[in-house]
Amino acid sequence: RFMGLHFFNPAPVMKLVEVIRGAETDPGLVAQAKSLMEGWGKIAVIATDVPGFIVNRVARPFYGEGWRALEEGAASAATLDYLYRELAGFRMGPFELGDLIGHDVNFAAAKSIHEAYFGRTRFAPSLAQGQLVAAGRLGRKSGRGVYSYTDEEKPAPELIAPQGAVRDLSLLKAVMAKGEANFEGARLFYADGRSASRAAADARMPAVVIDYLRDPDAATAIAYAASDEKADAAALAFVSQSGKSAVRLKDRAGLVVFRTLAQLVNCASDAVRDRVASPEAIDLAMMNGVNYPFGPLAWANGESFVRIASALDAIADETGDAAYRPGEWLRAAARKAL
Amino acid sequence: RFMGLHFFNPAPVMKLVEVIRGAETDPGLVAQAKSLMEGWGKIAVIATDVPGFIVNRVARPFYGEGWRALEEGAASAATLDYLYRELAGFRMGPFELGDLIGHDVNFAAAKSIHEAYFGRTRFAPSLAQGQLVAAGRLGRKSGRGVYSYTDEEKPAPELIAPQGAVRDLSLLKAVMAKGEANFEGARLFYADGRSASRAAADARMPAVVIDYLRDPDAATAIAYAASDEKADAAALAFVSQSGKSAVRLKDRAGLVVFRTLAQLVNCASDAVRDRVASPEAIDLAMMNGVNYPFGPLAWANGESFVRIASALDAIADETGDAAYRPGEWLRAAARKAL
Amino acid sequence: RFMGLHFFNPAPVMKLVEVIRGAETDPGLVAQAKSLMEGWGKIAVIATDVPGFIVNRVARPFYGEGWRALEEGAASAATLDYLYRELAGFRMGPFELGDLIGHDVNFAAAKSIHEAYFGRTRFAPSLAQGQLVAAGRLGRKSGRGVYSYTDEEKPAPELIAPQGAVRDLSLLKAVMAKGEANFEGARLFYADGRSASRAAADARMPAVVIDYLRDPDAATAIAYAASDEKADAAALAFVSQSGKSAVRLKDRAGLVVFRTLAQLVNCASDAVRDRVASPEAIDLAMMNGVNYPFGPLAWANGESFVRIASALDAIADETGDAAYRPGEWLRAAARKAL
């Protein structure tokens, strides 16, 4: 008999409402509520009554992966926020978004989901965010979070400006299309879950891995990790000839933005497996509840489920962390796509 | 100096008593207590003082796997309960048993074991059972649990009746003996840990996986998962010619009953590794403390430890869930059996 | 603005001080504090503000692995303590050290670290130690811990004395150098993460695995596990001809001392990945904060990172426990070392 309606903040702006059906809820009532919400101009998705419903469950890796990249020193917070925006089209990166939401609220949500799912490691909260909260740096509302809001200057992303005025995107597009290309004694790879070090060992030559790029024409930067100095020089020359700025990442499996997206797909897939909602409803929810630039499952389908599942396996192999292993729905989707 | 005696409910009916030895308990005292209990007509097993002793530790996957199958929509609760009874010979399935025990009691036991073992994922409680408890649906005692006890009608298992009057068990027995057989354009596999989708990819043809069947002569139903519509048609024809009803399961690694049994073996094996009790004592405890139709370790020996360990690896591979990986004792037993 | 100084007990004797830098700490202040401490004759290492800092985070497997070996019955507590001293050069084994520290204190630290890292399985506390604490057996201070301190007799390690007066170390040194050698119908392996049973299956002949030995000349004992009786006889003859006592271990992946050291390397590597401290600082901290005979990372470098990473994979494969998988820093170090 229970049925819930979950709105998103700020409610007048955010179009999403999650219509929550319990084990007993009358399906007719659910359909009626959905219609009513749509009549109000809302985008209504039906979700099972599980902790976090769709959005607050599926979104966990957006924060978790961001914080983990920061803890490991992949790049500065401002650089990471910049990359989530610039490479993937998120409106905000996880740190500026956390500063807006309030880290106390965001961290409490992470802890609560993690506990509700009995410690499922996919949902592990971030140590560093917990320390931020303990230090009272709650975000904009306390004048200080990841960034300071008392003085004017916000730290800038660490960009390496291009040399010269060339702007040739052909090699970039070739790498993105074929997955790899040789350039100046190094092999360039488009993000596939491996670290540059792993890719170099496989290729038996210096290797560069390039992070995900949603729009190679519009993006003003390319992020990469290099296996050694020779590869780094090749990477900088490659980025420069594309006329874009370079962001040098600490080498790690799957880099940053691609790894986050892949793990978001994994969590979205688990939600389908657990019958939280349909793939379409999940995508709609993420786009309209938290402004994602695309639905994770439609994105994975476009990139190919095979590629995403295999990248997650590569991340799990390299990190030794089983939380990255593709779940059963994703593995089956990859098989179906073959 | 501590020694415990753990009886099972209802004590006059259930023959088992666990004689608990602490690190310090005088072995003579333990032997004496065992004899005394046997004099009372009890079946006494010696167990180390660990959380859950033998029975409440080893039995966890019976509930955990049942609930997980339900959450994933493998079949309805009534169908799942039916399969545990019909295919494996359990007296009750996990949902009707939970309704009898009380889900508050059953869920509290699950949480307590999970916490006592510091979050070991093999023992993870079920989210859906926790929600049932939170909703006050405690089972028979509250008039409502998984099933309702206020009105008469209990939901029936979802069976597909056989077409025609044939009753030819030869193909069924061949599949069970050899593990596979071709039939009407599909390959039939006897439960080996894979999903039908995985088996189809391996066989490069439509595939059906048949769940465990303890007694092919007596069982009135066969449960299966199919990789596609062609495989589903073959499965239905195959089941029909055996004169039995069919249960169509949602495709998943290891299906339902076989996966539960395999994970019970895994937990029993861990208990041997951790010196909780001998394999014989564990089997005796499960048969007499919770009425299992067989001891999990003797069952695994009969099915072959190699087959069970390899099935658990297949389930871990497909689900991405390391909780299914065979433990060290089971892996060594499989090696010894080769 | 926060900066911490973490001393070790007893402070006048233990040279280590961890200088803790928070996210905001002025680097100049940190350097100043380090100099000041060094002026006091301390060994100062800089560490990030994470739960357990360096020492109490990296040291977890020393206790965890010791207790796990005891729970699985690898050998008696007195034998295990003896092996940590004799084979690796630790001043005390985990049980006598726990008796000295107090198991309440030691167990509380383990639980607190495990919780602070949101249940990371690398840091899982020991069930048996928790039971010891619950039983009031806190160690020396309560007159009783793993050992009793009220009567005089301390249990002796279980040693099998050598037969005859030969003392030929050539075969032992050959096994340690080459990793394996045949002897009396069995193959002897130097600890590589496998169990003897696994090694026998790989070699297709009876197998013996020999635990780590820091100093083959000085050590008075050799610990081994054998795959069967024939291998056991070969092992005893082999140890006897080296003029040393033998310790027969229950067969398990990685044995005892080697497995503990390998997992310490894993935890130290994770600390580098998470930027807790530099490899050099971690080694210095473990040697001077808890008297380790060597720094885990320098040790791994000497043994070869490739060997340690591959041994951890073998332990993870055999135990099914993902907590042993090498972390990303260790895997990259192994690749670099190739």
Side-chain angles (χ1 to χ4, degrees):
Chain A
R1 285 137 220 173
F2 157 92
M3 195 191 61
L5 293 175
H6 183 223
F7 296 87
F8 287 75
N9 274 325
V13 178
M14 301 304 290
K15 293 215 137 197
L16 188 73
V17 59
E18 293 174 324
V19 179
I20 310 304
R21 88 191 140 204
E24 311 289 302
T25 318
D26 176 349
L29 196 62
V30 170
Q32 216 178 319
K34 187 167 184 291
S35 292
L36 179 69
M37 287 300 112
E38 285 165 356
W40 288 11
K42 288 285 178 186
I43 290 169
V45 295
I46 298 172
T48 302
D49 179 24
V50 296
F53 309 133
I54 299 170
V55 172
N56 285 329
R57 170 177 163 154
V58 172
R60 298 275 49 95
F62 182 69
Y63 309 104
E65 288 298 323
W67 279 98
R68 187 160 174 177
L70 187 66
E71 285 177 356
E72 295 182 10
S76 72
T79 307
L80 293 170
D81 271 343
Y82 169 83
L83 292 178
Y84 283 97
R85 280 185 268 113
E86 195 63 24
L87 303 187
F90 287 97
R91 293 207 193 161
M92 281 190 255
F95 309 110
E96 52 201 357
L97 181 55
D99 274 4
L100 183 68
I101 298 170
H103 292 284
D104 49 343
V105 173
N106 192 233
F107 181 67
K111 280 220 304 184
S112 140
I113 297 280
H114 185 242
E115 282 163 21
Y117 287 94
F118 304 106
R120 203 176 287 184
T121 52
R122 290 249 218 285
F123 299 142
S126 154
L127 197 63
Q129 191 182 31
Q131 290 180 320
L132 202 74
V133 173
R137 291 168 54 183
L138 309 181
R140 286 173 179 273
K141 65 184 171 188
S142 73
R144 188 100 196 279
V146 172
Y147 305 110
S148 172
Y149 298 91
T150 47
D151 38 27
E152 284 309 289
E153 32 169 3
K154 203 187 154 180
E158 289 161 15
L159 304 178
I160 304 165
Q163 304 297 317
V166 192
R167 192 187 135 82
D168 176 359
L169 297 178
S170 55
L171 182 56
L172 171 61
K173 290 183 177 178
V175 173
M176 290 177 65
K178 296 182 193 161
E180 59 182 271
N182 285 340
F183 182 73
E184 296 195 359
R187 190 161 302 161
L188 312 176
F189 293 95
Y190 190 45
D192 60 9
R194 291 180 301 171
S195 61
S197 145
R198 169 82 251 169
D202 292 344
R204 295 169 185 270
M205 63 187 290
V208 174
V209 178
I210 295 160
D211 205 345
Y212 173 72
L213 209 53
R214 191 186 181 198
D215 183 343
D217 291 297
T220 58
I222 292 176
Y224 73 91
S227 67
D228 61 15
E229 287 186 19
K230 181 163 191 179
D232 193 80
L236 286 179
F238 159 72
V239 177
S240 195
Q241 94 171 23
S242 75
K244 300 182 190 296
S245 293
V247 172
R248 180 188 287 128
L249 297 171
K250 185 181 156 187
D251 188 29
R252 62 201 294 269
L255 279 63
V256 172
V257 173
F258 179 72
R259 176 160 156 177
T260 303
L261 293 173
Q263 189 69 338
L264 281 169
V265 170
N266 215 358
C267 281
S269 300
D270 283 359
V272 182
R273 178 200 62 202
D274 294 346
R275 300 191 305 162
V276 176
S278 70
E280 297 72 25
I282 290 171
D283 278 352
L284 214 51
M286 302 315 290
M287 292 173 77
N288 293 286
V290 277
N291 283 321
Y292 279 18
F294 37 70
L297 294 169
W299 177 81
N301 192 35
E303 296 284 320
S304 124
F305 279 115
V306 178
R307 184 165 114 77
I308 302 303
S310 129
L312 285 164
D313 271 324
I315 298 170
D317 287 344
E318 181 76 7
T319 59
D321 188 342
Y324 293 102
R325 287 279 166 223
E328 187 161 12
W329 189 89
L330 178 54
R331 224 174 258 291
R335 219 147 38 216
K336 209 173 297 169
L338 269 177
Chain B
R1 285 137 221 172
F2 157 93
M3 195 190 62
L5 292 175
H6 182 223
F7 296 87
F8 287 75
N9 275 325
V13 177
M14 300 305 290
K15 293 215 138 197
L16 188 72
V17 59
E18 293 174 323
V19 179
I20 311 304
R21 88 190 139 203
E24 312 288 302
T25 319
D26 176 349
L29 196 62
V30 170
Q32 216 178 321
K34 187 167 184 289
S35 292
L36 179 69
M37 287 300 111
E38 285 165 356
W40 288 11
K42 288 285 179 186
I43 290 169
V45 295
I46 298 172
T48 301
D49 179 23
V50 296
F53 309 135
I54 299 171
V55 171
N56 285 329
R57 169 177 164 155
V58 173
R60 298 273 52 92
F62 182 69
Y63 309 103
E65 288 299 322
W67 279 98
R68 187 161 174 177
L70 187 67
E71 284 176 356
E72 294 181 10
S76 72
T79 307
L80 293 170
D81 271 343
Y82 169 83
L83 292 178
Y84 282 97
R85 279 184 268 112
E86 195 62 26
L87 303 187
F90 287 97
R91 293 206 193 161
M92 281 190 256
F95 309 110
E96 52 201 358
L97 180 55
D99 274 4
L100 183 67
I101 297 171
H103 292 284
D104 49 343
V105 173
N106 192 233
F107 180 67
K111 280 220 305 184
S112 140
I113 297 280
H114 184 243
E115 282 163 21
Y117 287 94
F118 304 107
R120 203 177 287 185
T121 52
R122 290 249 218 284
F123 299 142
S126 154
L127 197 63
Q129 190 182 32
Q131 290 179 319
L132 202 75
V133 172
R137 291 168 54 182
L138 308 182
R140 287 173 179 273
K141 66 184 171 188
S142 73
R144 188 103 194 278
V146 172
Y147 305 110
S148 172
Y149 298 92
T150 48
D151 38 26
E152 285 310 288
E153 31 168 3
K154 203 188 154 178
E158 289 161 15
L159 304 177
I160 304 165
Q163 305 296 317
V166 191
R167 192 187 135 81
D168 176 358
L169 297 178
S170 55
L171 182 56
L172 172 61
K173 290 183 177 177
V175 173
M176 290 176 66
K178 296 182 193 160
E180 60 182 272
N182 285 340
F183 182 73
E184 296 194 359
R187 190 161 301 161
L188 312 176
F189 292 96
Y190 190 45
D192 60 9
R194 291 180 300 172
S195 61
S197 145
R198 169 82 252 170
D202 292 344
R204 295 167 185 272
M205 63 186 291
V208 175
V209 178
I210 296 160
D211 205 345
Y212 173 72
L213 209 52
R214 190 185 181 197
D215 183 343
D217 291 297
T220 59
I222 292 176
Y224 73 91
S227 66
D228 61 15
E229 287 186 19
K230 180 163 191 178
D232 193 80
L236 286 178
F238 159 73
V239 176
S240 194
Q241 95 171 23
S242 75
K244 301 183 189 296
S245 293
V247 172
R248 181 187 288 127
L249 297 171
K250 184 180 157 188
D251 189 28
R252 62 201 293 270
L255 279 62
V256 172
V257 173
F258 179 71
R259 175 160 155 176
T260 303
L261 293 173
Q263 189 69 337
L264 281 169
V265 170
N266 215 358
C267 280
S269 299
D270 283 358
V272 181
R273 178 201 62 202
D274 294 345
R275 300 191 306 162
V276 176
S278 70
E280 297 72 25
I282 290 171
D283 279 352
L284 214 52
M286 301 316 289
M287 293 174 76
N288 293 286
V290 277
N291 282 321
Y292 279 17
F294 37 71
L297 293 169
W299 177 81
N301 192 36
E303 296 284 319
S304 124
F305 280 115
V306 178
R307 184 165 114 77
I308 302 303
S310 129
L312 285 164
D313 271 324
I315 297 170
D317 286 344
E318 182 76 7
T319 59
D321 188 342
Y324 293 102
R325 287 279 166 222
E328 187 161 11
W329 189 88
L330 178 53
R331 223 174 258 291
R335 218 145 41 215
K336 209 173 296 169
L338 269 177
Chain C
R1 286 136 220 171
F2 157 92
M3 194 191 63
L5 292 175
H6 183 223
F7 296 87
F8 287 75
N9 274 325
V13 178
M14 301 305 290
K15 292 215 138 198
L16 188 72
V17 58
E18 293 175 323
V19 179
I20 311 304
R21 88 190 140 203
E24 311 289 303
T25 319
D26 176 348
L29 196 62
V30 170
Q32 216 178 321
K34 187 167 184 290
S35 292
L36 179 69
M37 287 300 112
E38 285 165 355
W40 288 12
K42 288 285 179 186
I43 291 169
V45 295
I46 298 172
T48 302
D49 180 23
V50 296
F53 309 133
I54 299 171
V55 171
N56 284 329
R57 169 177 164 155
V58 173
R60 298 272 54 91
F62 182 70
Y63 309 104
E65 288 298 323
W67 279 98
R68 187 160 174 179
L70 187 67
E71 284 176 356
E72 295 182 10
S76 72
T79 307
L80 293 170
D81 271 343
Y82 169 83
L83 292 177
Y84 282 97
R85 279 184 269 113
E86 195 62 25
L87 303 187
F90 287 97
R91 293 207 193 161
M92 282 190 255
F95 309 110
E96 52 201 357
L97 180 55
D99 275 4
L100 183 67
I101 297 170
H103 292 284
D104 50 343
V105 173
N106 192 233
F107 181 67
K111 280 221 303 184
S112 140
I113 297 280
H114 185 242
E115 282 163 21
Y117 287 94
F118 304 106
R120 202 176 287 185
T121 52
R122 290 249 218 285
F123 299 142
S126 154
L127 197 63
Q129 190 183 32
Q131 290 180 319
L132 202 75
V133 172
R137 291 169 54 183
L138 308 182
R140 286 172 180 273
K141 65 185 171 187
S142 73
R144 189 101 194 279
V146 172
Y147 305 110
S148 172
Y149 298 91
T150 48
D151 38 26
E152 285 309 288
E153 31 168 5
K154 203 188 155 179
E158 289 160 15
L159 304 177
I160 304 165
Q163 304 296 318
V166 191
R167 192 188 136 82
D168 176 358
L169 297 178
S170 55
L171 182 56
L172 171 61
K173 290 183 177 177
V175 173
M176 290 176 65
K178 295 181 194 161
E180 59 181 273
N182 285 340
F183 182 73
E184 296 194 359
R187 190 162 301 161
L188 312 176
F189 292 96
Y190 190 45
D192 60 10
R194 291 181 300 171
S195 61
S197 145
R198 170 81 252 169
D202 292 344
R204 296 168 185 271
M205 64 187 290
V208 175
V209 178
I210 295 160
D211 205 345
Y212 173 72
L213 208 53
R214 191 185 181 199
D215 183 344
D217 291 297
T220 59
I222 292 176
Y224 73 92
S227 66
D228 62 14
E229 287 186 18
K230 181 163 190 179
D232 193 80
L236 286 179
F238 159 73
V239 177
S240 194
Q241 94 172 22
S242 75
K244 300 183 190 298
S245 292
V247 172
R248 180 187 288 128
L249 297 171
K250 185 181 156 187
D251 190 28
R252 63 201 293 270
L255 279 64
V256 173
V257 173
F258 179 71
R259 175 160 155 177
T260 303
L261 292 174
Q263 190 69 338
L264 281 169
V265 170
N266 216 357
C267 281
S269 300
D270 283 358
V272 182
R273 178 200 62 203
D274 294 345
R275 300 192 305 163
V276 176
S278 69
E280 297 71 26
I282 291 171
D283 278 352
L284 214 51
M286 301 316 289
M287 292 174 76
N288 293 286
V290 277
N291 282 321
Y292 279 17
F294 37 70
L297 294 170
W299 177 81
N301 192 36
E303 296 284 319
S304 124
F305 279 115
V306 178
R307 184 165 114 76
I308 302 303
S310 130
L312 285 164
D313 271 324
I315 297 170
D317 286 344
E318 181 76 7
T319 59
D321 188 342
Y324 292 102
R325 287 279 166 223
E328 187 161 10
W329 189 88
L330 178 53
R331 223 174 259 291
R335 219 145 40 215
K336 209 173 296 170
L338 269 176

